[in-house]
Amino acid sequence: MRVRLYHGEALATYGFGSGHPFGHDRQAAFWQEALRQGLDWQTEIGAPVPGTEDDLALFHTADYIARVRRQSLSGQGYLDAGDTPAFPGVFEAGAVVVGTVLDGLKNILEGRCRRVFVPIAGLHHARRDSASGFCVFNDIGVLIEALRRRHGIQRVAYVDIDAHHGDGVFYAFEDDPDLIFADIHEDGRYLYPGTGFANETGTGAAKGTKLNIPLEPGADDAAFHRVWPQVEEFVRAGRPEFIILQAGADSVAGDPITHMQFTPAAHAHATTRLCALADEFCQGRIIGLGGGGYNRFNLAAAWTRVVKAMLE
């Protein structure tokens, strides 16, 4: 199969309870629509895979990993300043997200597929030493480090169309000239985490390798298409060996905690064009991650469009 799609109850354990925007029902909302569209027989279905402490340590500090494990036993308190609560089993739930993304990478590099989509993944706010914004372990950061340190793939392009700026990825690799970073998001003056301004282009040897495109609240598909060519040109100029797409659906109109007005067509277009660049530069290698999205109808519509674009 060209596309490997991950699904399983272990992924659904990553969530913060009923009524929370990041609830356990997000995977089921996507999966119901995926089944309706027949994506289960058009793709290879992969089961979730637990990550190890060695996997987590590719990106996170030992002290932070140990703290998450402790609070996972008690289920008490927050793992950051107040956005990301601990719950019993949070360590294992977060590790499954990481392990599943790494399993997708393994399947690509071993030639069993060309493209991967993991719906419950793309936790782009977590820092090396802290949770942040509903994100416990940063599977993207782990993936980037695994590409470099385990597989010798240095030039990685990361593209993020979630409504929120991918600050956990940006600041971890702000001085890394081999991470090509492009992020379209709602202006940080109006939305968490308050970062990702246009003048944030990287530091030191990495200056100019980061592209932040903040959009005004209410930005729609027309605004997306005005700025998308910059992203495509930026990625092309970076000549990556591997592409990661964070396809957060909270940039779609009607999300309860953001103010963007994209339609799922933006997600389809981004995926189609990045797959073309992956074919040109990366031997077709691209991983898509679900990211945010708190309107269940929206995330189902946007993520199925991502998978269909990967298939096409």
Side-chain angles (χ1 to χ4, degrees):
M1 287 285 188
R2 177 183 296 183
V3 179
R4 185 174 177 88
L5 172 62
Y6 281 88
H7 172 75
E9 283 306 306
L11 274 177
T13 62
Y14 189 87
F16 300 94
S18 59
H20 191 282
F22 205 124
H24 298 289
D25 61 325
R26 295 170 77 247
Q27 178 183 243
F30 162 70
W31 188 243
Q32 183 177 13
E33 181 62 15
L35 292 177
R36 191 187 72 79
Q37 297 188 27
L39 297 181
D40 56 323
W41 58 264
Q42 297 176 61
T43 62
E44 179 182 69
I45 304 301
V49 175
T52 67
E53 287 207 20
D54 284 345
D55 295 333
L56 301 176
L58 288 169
F59 182 80
H60 292 288
T61 66
D63 285 349
Y64 176 60
I65 294 168
R67 181 159 70 88
V68 177
R69 187 177 282 284
R70 286 195 304 273
Q71 288 187 241
S72 183
L73 294 173
S74 69
Q76 300 297 311
Y78 286 87
L79 297 166
D80 57 9
D83 289 321
T84 312
F87 57 85
V90 66
F91 181 93
E92 290 77 12
V96 163
V97 175
V98 168
T100 301
V101 171
L102 292 181
D103 190 70
L105 173 62
K106 176 183 176 182
N107 275 273
I108 288 176
L109 296 182
E110 292 181 356
R112 285 190 285 272
C113 61
R114 296 176 66 201
R115 319 194 198 292
V116 160
F117 184 72
V118 187
I120 309 303
L123 306 179
H124 61 175
H125 295 307
R127 303 298 181 97
R128 292 188 186 270
D129 61 355
S130 174
S132 184
F134 313 156
C135 302
V136 175
F137 295 129
N138 193 321
D139 54 293
I140 304 157
V142 172
L143 174 58
I144 293 166
E145 296 286 9
L147 281 161
R148 269 85 173 275
R149 293 157 61 179
R150 291 179 175 174
H151 303 289
I153 296 172
Q154 294 298 319
R155 297 285 289 172
V156 179
Y158 172 72
V159 178
D160 190 323
I161 59 172
D162 191 291
H164 301 89
H165 179 234
D167 59 326
V169 180
F170 179 80
Y171 293 111
F173 298 97
E174 187 178 18
D175 60 354
D176 184 334
D178 287 327
L179 183 73
I180 303 132
F181 177 100
D183 193 320
I184 300 172
H185 51 273
E186 186 173 335
D187 193 313
R189 292 175 296 174
Y190 309 103
L191 187 69
Y192 178 92
T195 56
F197 297 102
N199 63 356
E200 295 186 81
T201 63
T203 60
K207 192 167 184 63
T209 64
K210 312 293 183 274
L211 176 66
N212 281 295
I213 303 179
L215 298 178
E216 292 290 316
D220 57 10
D221 280 11
F224 169 83
H225 284 289
R226 279 197 300 272
V227 301
W228 177 260
Q230 296 178 53
V231 172
E232 198 166 322
E233 180 181 352
F234 195 75
V235 172
R236 177 181 292 280
R239 303 184 68 83
E241 301 169 84
F242 197 97
I243 295 176
I244 303 165
L245 168 63
Q246 204 272 25
D250 50 9
S251 51
V252 175
D255 191 88
I257 64 174
T258 78
H259 316 99
M260 303 284 274
Q261 298 288 316
F262 292 174
T263 74
H267 290 66
H269 184 77
T271 307
T272 296
R273 297 307 305 151
L274 290 175
C275 284
L277 290 172
D279 288 343
E280 184 176 353
F281 294 106
C282 312
Q283 303 171 45
R285 304 181 299 195
I286 181 171
I287 288 183
L289 308 170
Y294 309 104
N295 176 310
R296 278 36 174 181
F297 175 83
N298 283 356
L299 68 82
W303 293 349
T304 52
R305 290 296 296 273
V306 170
V307 176
K308 288 174 72 174
M310 286 183 162
L311 287 164
E312 293 164 1

